[in-house]
Every structure is written in structure tokens, then in C-alpha cells.
Amino acid sequence: MYSYSFDYQRAADPKSAVAALSANGDAKYLAGGQSLLPTMRLRLAQPAQLIDVTRIPELKKIAADAKTVTVGAAVCHADVAENAEIRRVLPALAALAGQIGDRQVRALGTIGGSIANDDPAADYPAALLALGATVVTDRRRIAADDFFVGMYETALAPDELIVAVEFPVPEKAAYEKFPNPASHFALVGVFVAKRADGVRVAVTGAGSSVFRATGLETALSANFTAAAARSVTVAPDDLNTDLHASAAYRAHLIPVLAGRAVERAA
Ligand SMILES: Cc1cc2nc3c(=O)[nH]c(=O)nc-3n(C[C@H](O)[C@H](O)[C@H](O)COP(=O)(O)OP(=O)(O)OC[C@H]3O[C@@H](n4cnc5c(N)ncnc54)[C@H](O)[C@@H]3O)c2cc1C
């Protein structure tokens, strides 16, 4: 039987979490464990130490006002989905969180773990990118446009700890995804955000990493209607083909889902 041992440490505050990780080059932060633990079970990662960040009070906070929604890195998906203030101020974000995985994944998985992992089919990256969010870490603020670098790759330094994500509140927004029926990961997911300075559209599940759909942004900034979204043609050239869907099918879905998001935007 396969087994290996590792140390487990529970951090009380961001400073001690970062110090513990910096002291052990082979350590990893542990949040909900919904991505990291399967990776360890598959023997794709064997960290010598896990530093649990889910009991750090600063990482558990949610705050919302008319301009900004702030979600602590260790807030689980279910708490975002059910939070009354987020549902009132930024309902698209609550609805997105409520569509992640299943009940168990939503009860354990966190926003910080999701964006640090940066799975190309994860839902939260689309919200961060479309809303123009800011990732707040233990040492700096990173614009979402600079945060997602590539497949499973972010701008984070190896020991950098995500503390929170700040979302500016848009005029209207919605997220539509075509989920894989088994995992609920996005075959394609499209987040549309209408802001005072124009419309931003981010697509997940279709490429090697989340990306902005500039053709849709231009069309929807001129005319915020489902028909305008559906009139846009997306080239399949850089999109994924896998056993779930071809690049051409994903390219077809992007304007269709964008049109549905425009219809539902609130
Ligand atoms: C069956 C199943 C279905 C799923 N379906 C979906 C889905 O439909 N949509 C979707 O988006 N996701 C889905 N997921 C993934 C899920 O959302 C995970 O919660 C998420 O990918 C990782 O979050 P976590 O809190 O579990 O992080 P962990 O697994 O604990 O950690 C993931 C990575 O992030 C790092 N990390 C964690 N917290 C921090 C932090 N604060 N700062 C810096 N680094 C940190 C860890 O070191 C690790 O490298 C699914 C997962 C499963 C198991």
C-alpha cells in the first residue's frame, strides 16, 4: 500500500503561515484540500509539510458595501453562495459559487485555493477577470489581469499567501457555464460584467487559462444585448479539444453563453 508521511501545522495568522512555509522549501499551504489532497493521493505532489490556513481569522472575513465585495481567501464556496450581503450586492458572484462542484466541494473548497490552483476550467478565475478584481496577498495587491499567468500558473511567489479578493461592484453581471455533468467544472464558462467604463467578458474552461473575450467586450460595450453577443464569432484556433468537447464546439458555446449571461445580468 502506498503511504508517505508529512507534517501538519495550523497557522494562527498570515505572518506565521508565511514564516512556516519559508522555513520549509517543501511545504504547501492547505485550504479546503479539494485540489491539493487529490493531487497527493495521485502521487503528483508529496509536500513534506502542510500549513493549514483555514483557521486564520483574517482569511475568513466577508465584507460588502455598494462599491466593493471583499472575500477572505479561506472563505468556502458555500459561504459565498449563501451570504446575504453578497447575494444582494453582487448576486452573480454568489450564483457562481453555488454552481461549483457538489455540496461537499462547496463546504470545503475556498476562493483562495481555487485561484491559487488556477485550474483552466475553474469558475472563480472568470469572475475575478471580468470584474477586474484585486488579489490581496501578505505582501502586495495584484490586479486579476496580471494574476492568471497560464495553465495552473499564477503570479504568486512560492511562499506568497493570498489573504483576500476584492471585487468592484459592477452595474450588472452574470455567469453562465456549460458544466461537465460529472465534476461540474466548466466545459465553457462565461462571466459578463457591465461597468461604467464598458463591458468585460472572461471565459474559463475553453483555453489553457482564463482569458478575456475582446470581440465580445467590444460588441457588448456598444450594445448590451443578447443579440449583440450572439452575433460575435469566436475563432477556435487557440481553444481546447479534449474528450469532452472540440475546440469548434467550445468556440460556438462562448457567444451563446455570453448572450444568456446578458439576458440574466443583474
Ligand atoms: C469533485 C470536485 C469537483 C469540483 N468542481 C469544481 C467546479 O465545478 N468548479 C470549480 O471552480 N472548481 C471545482 N473543484 C475545485 C474546487 O473548487 C477546489 O475547492 C479548489 O480548486 C481548491 O480550493 P481548496 O480550498 O480546496 O484548495 P487546496 O486544495 O487546499 O489548495 C489548492 C492549492 O492552492 C494553494 N493555496 C490554498 N490556499 C492558499 C492561499 N490562501 N494562498 C496561497 N495559496 C493557497 C495550496 O497550496 C494548493 O497549491 C472541484 C473539486 C472536486 C474535488
Side-chain angles (χ1 to χ4, degrees):
M1 194 175 83
Y2 168 68
S3 71
Y4 94 96
S5 60
F6 56 86
D7 290 334
Y8 169 88
Q9 184 179 335
R10 190 176 284 169
D13 54 65
K15 206 173 161 191
S16 61
V18 175
L21 199 108
S22 308
N24 184 343
D26 204 13
K28 292 284 261 181
Y29 296 128
L30 173 69
Q34 296 301 291
S35 294
L36 183 55
L37 297 186
T39 312
M40 290 166 65
R41 279 192 216 107
L42 290 168
R43 309 181 197 185
L44 297 171
Q46 291 190 323
Q49 188 179 26
L50 294 182
I51 298 152
D52 187 339
V53 299
T54 59
R55 312 293 172 96
I56 301 176
E58 201 176 336
L59 272 65
K60 301 288 288 179
K61 288 183 189 160
I62 295 179
D65 60 30
K67 286 191 174 161
T68 312
V69 170
T70 305
V71 183
V75 174
C76 71
H77 311 327
D79 285 351
V80 173
E82 287 156 22
N83 183 272
E85 283 303 288
I86 299 179
R87 288 169 80 126
R88 187 174 62 79
V89 176
L90 189 40
L93 188 68
L96 174 149
Q99 294 175 54
I100 295 176
D102 53 31
R103 196 174 277 271
Q104 177 180 318
V105 170
R106 291 194 293 276
L108 290 169
T110 66
I111 187 169
S114 174
I115 63 170
N117 192 51
D118 194 15
D119 187 300
D123 297 299
Y124 269 127
L128 268 75
L129 200 55
L131 291 165
T134 301
V135 180
V136 182
T137 78
D138 64 290
R139 63 200 70 169
R140 58 181 170 149
R141 298 168 61 81
I142 310 172
D145 281 312
D146 302 323
F147 183 82
F148 301 105
V149 173
M151 188 181 278
Y152 296 107
E153 199 186 344
T154 69
L156 291 172
D159 65 341
E160 195 163 3
L161 178 74
I162 302 169
V163 173
V165 182
E166 292 176 1
F167 296 93
V169 174
E171 290 175 6
K172 286 178 172 189
Y175 178 63
E176 282 286 328
K177 83 166 159 176
F178 192 94
N180 177 318
S183 70
H184 294 181
F185 272 107
L187 273 186
V188 176
V190 180
F191 200 108
V192 173
K194 185 173 188 294
R195 315 184 331 163
D197 60 354
V199 175
R200 287 171 63 114
V201 180
V203 178
T204 188
S208 58
S209 183
V210 66
F211 62 91
R212 284 175 65 185
T214 47
L216 279 161
E217 290 184 347
T218 306
L220 291 174
S221 293
N223 180 16
F224 194 71
T225 61
R230 290 184 188 120
S231 72
V232 173
T233 302
V234 174
D237 307 355
D238 296 327
L239 304 186
N240 297 338
T241 290
D242 55 27
L243 78 166
H244 303 300
S246 65
Y249 187 58
R250 285 186 161 96
H252 167 76
L253 279 178
I254 292 169
V256 171
L257 295 175
R260 287 183 197 165
V262 169
E263 280 166 350
R264 287 202 322 113

